[in-house]
Amino acid sequence: LALAVKPPRDGSLRVAALLMRGLLAAVALLHASRLLWFLAFGTPDTVVAPIAIQIVVAIVQCMLQIAMTFSFLLMQNFRLNDELREQADVDVLTGVFNRRGLDLRAHRLLARARKTRSRMAVIIMDIDHFKRVNDTHGHAVGDQVLCWLSAQLSALLRPNDLLGRYGGEEFVALLPDADLASAKKIAERMRSNIAAQAPEFDGARTPITLSLGIALAQDADYDLETALAQADANLYLAKESGRNQVCHLPPERQDGKLQVA
């Protein structure tokens, strides 16, 4: 009923919710009409409506009941589909977006940024020497590290930023309305905060550091694949220059002298 009164702004669930709201309005109108009839001609005990009217009212009530049942089932089906679709976009292990979920949202954000010519940044980050963690402590601890890191990074990003696990130990953050200075500040905050901690997993302290590469959407002409390639090139430069660093070079200088942010 709440969905029928206030349907969601978009999505397939809105259609069923609007249908339910319309049916509720029809039921309310029917009952209001009957009330007006009784007020005008007396109570049901003293006045019997013509048989034709009684038949029509009964048929309408039956059809409305069937339609409301159908719309309720439709709402439940759409809600379940939305939940399943959301689950398909989330990484099962860490709870952040998976590659599919992040790509879908990245294309929408980039299309919006392209239309308004607004700023946006992409950060690719990778756990330094993650294979060593798995080899030393086992993959179970490696999974714990990924879950811990996901929670830490999510808390360090801004409310409107998006985080996804792109595969293995690689994460991608989308920063809407962020220029280069803002992106560097956010990336450095993540790097320094993670490096300053030495979380304990399975009874052993495990220092974790990140290497991060930044790309700007406007430098990539608001194309996701191009932005990811530029950010990945900067990530590679950060790795090559000693790891545990934030790196950004504009595309035209990525083959030149390395400058670390």
Side-chain angles (χ1 to χ4, degrees):
L1 293 181
L3 285 172
V5 173
K6 187 178 181 181
R9 292 184 178 180
D10 51 26
S12 56
L13 189 58
R14 177 179 176 83
V15 178
L18 288 173
L19 177 60
M20 176 65 85
R21 187 168 66 172
L23 291 171
L24 285 175
V27 171
L29 181 61
L30 178 62
H31 287 294
S33 300
R34 295 182 67 186
L35 178 61
L36 291 175
W37 174 275
F38 296 143
L39 290 175
F41 300 103
T43 63
D45 295 333
T46 59
V47 175
V48 177
I51 187 66
I53 295 179
Q54 294 185 52
I55 292 175
V56 170
V57 170
I59 292 175
V60 170
Q61 285 182 319
C62 183
M63 292 180 63
L64 285 174
Q65 186 64 46
I66 293 173
M68 289 182 65
T69 302
F70 171 77
S71 63
F72 175 77
L73 293 175
L74 194 63
M75 286 171 56
Q76 294 298 99
N77 181 62
F78 283 154
R79 183 186 291 112
L80 179 60
N81 286 339
D82 288 346
E83 291 175 356
L84 291 175
R85 190 179 300 111
E86 183 177 347
Q87 291 174 9
D89 291 347
V90 173
D91 180 59
V92 176
L93 176 64
T94 61
V96 300
F97 289 117
N98 56 23
R99 184 167 187 156
R100 175 184 181 277
L102 197 68
D103 278 353
L104 288 173
R105 287 153 181 83
H107 284 298
R108 294 172 192 164
L109 288 173
L110 285 167
R112 188 185 310 157
R114 183 188 300 112
K115 184 177 181 180
T116 59
R117 307 309 295 180
S118 57
R119 298 166 176 171
M120 179 175 167
V122 177
I123 300 176
I124 292 183
M125 60 204 88
D126 188 87
I127 303 175
D128 297 327
H129 304 297
F130 185 68
K131 185 177 183 299
R132 185 183 302 169
V133 174
N134 282 328
D135 292 343
T136 303
H137 303 287
H139 289 279
V141 170
D143 288 347
Q144 293 178 42
V145 170
L146 292 173
C147 293
W148 173 84
L149 181 63
S150 299
Q152 295 294 315
L153 295 177
S154 297
L156 292 168
L157 289 169
R158 303 171 305 175
N160 292 332
D161 297 334
L162 299 180
L163 176 69
R165 182 185 174 200
Y166 232 58
E169 69 274 21
E170 188 174 77
F171 291 81
V172 173
L174 306 176
L175 279 56
D177 301 315
D179 57 12
L180 179 58
S182 299
K184 284 182 176 180
K185 182 178 179 180
I186 294 169
E188 178 59 29
R189 181 170 68 215
M190 291 190 291
R191 185 208 65 79
S192 60
N193 188 282
I194 298 301
Q197 305 182 57
E200 184 175 318
F201 301 104
D202 208 19
R205 291 286 179 183
T206 309
I208 304 295
T209 61
L210 297 176
S211 296
L212 304 94
I214 300 174
L216 300 179
Q218 53 268 35
D219 289 344
D221 197 25
Y222 300 96
D223 178 74
L224 178 60
E225 286 70 27
T226 304
L228 289 172
Q230 293 175 3
D232 195 59
N234 281 319
L235 171 63
Y236 178 79
L237 292 175
K239 294 276 191 182
E240 286 292 298
S241 62
R243 304 178 189 267
N244 190 25
Q245 298 187 45
V246 176
C247 182
H248 171 266
L249 282 179
E252 65 273 12
R253 297 185 57 196
Q254 286 182 349
D255 294 330
K257 183 180 178 181
L258 175 65
Q259 292 183 355
V260 178

